[in-house]
Amino acid sequence: MAINPYITTFLTSLCSKLGFHNDIVPINPFLNNWFVLILFGVLFLSTALVGTVFKTNKETAPIGLADNYLSNHAALISNGFVMLAPTFFSR
């Protein structure tokens, strides 16, 4: 989780959907959800790809700034979503 919280949440949610889990993961409304899987997959891919593609010129600098914000605050965004998502995704 220290390297990239987005990939950690994405892979845990993906494993939950594929059936590779323990007793806690499939009953967790946060991890067993398609929205969470897609959201964290997009966040991971955007922070992984934007840094190499869009930070190279002046015209795409705002995209680079958004990527810096998402990368620098990844732990806060992930933890906040983990804490609030069961409220919205309860069964």
Side-chain angles (χ1 to χ4, degrees), residues 5-17 20 37 40:
Y6 300 138
I7 189 67
T8 304
T9 308
F10 172 70
L11 289 177
T12 306
S13 185
L14 181 65
C15 287
S16 173
K17 285 296 185 186
F20 302 114
L37 178 71
F40 280 92

Side-chain angles (χ1 to χ4, degrees), residues 9 28-31 33 35-36 39-40 77-91:
T9 308
N28 187 337
F30 172 72
L31 293 172
N33 191 315
F35 178 75
V36 173
L39 175 69
F40 280 92
I77 293 168
S78 294
N79 286 332
F81 198 79
V82 166
M83 292 171 66
L84 294 175
T87 305
F88 302 113
F89 301 126
S90 63
R91 294 181 189 199

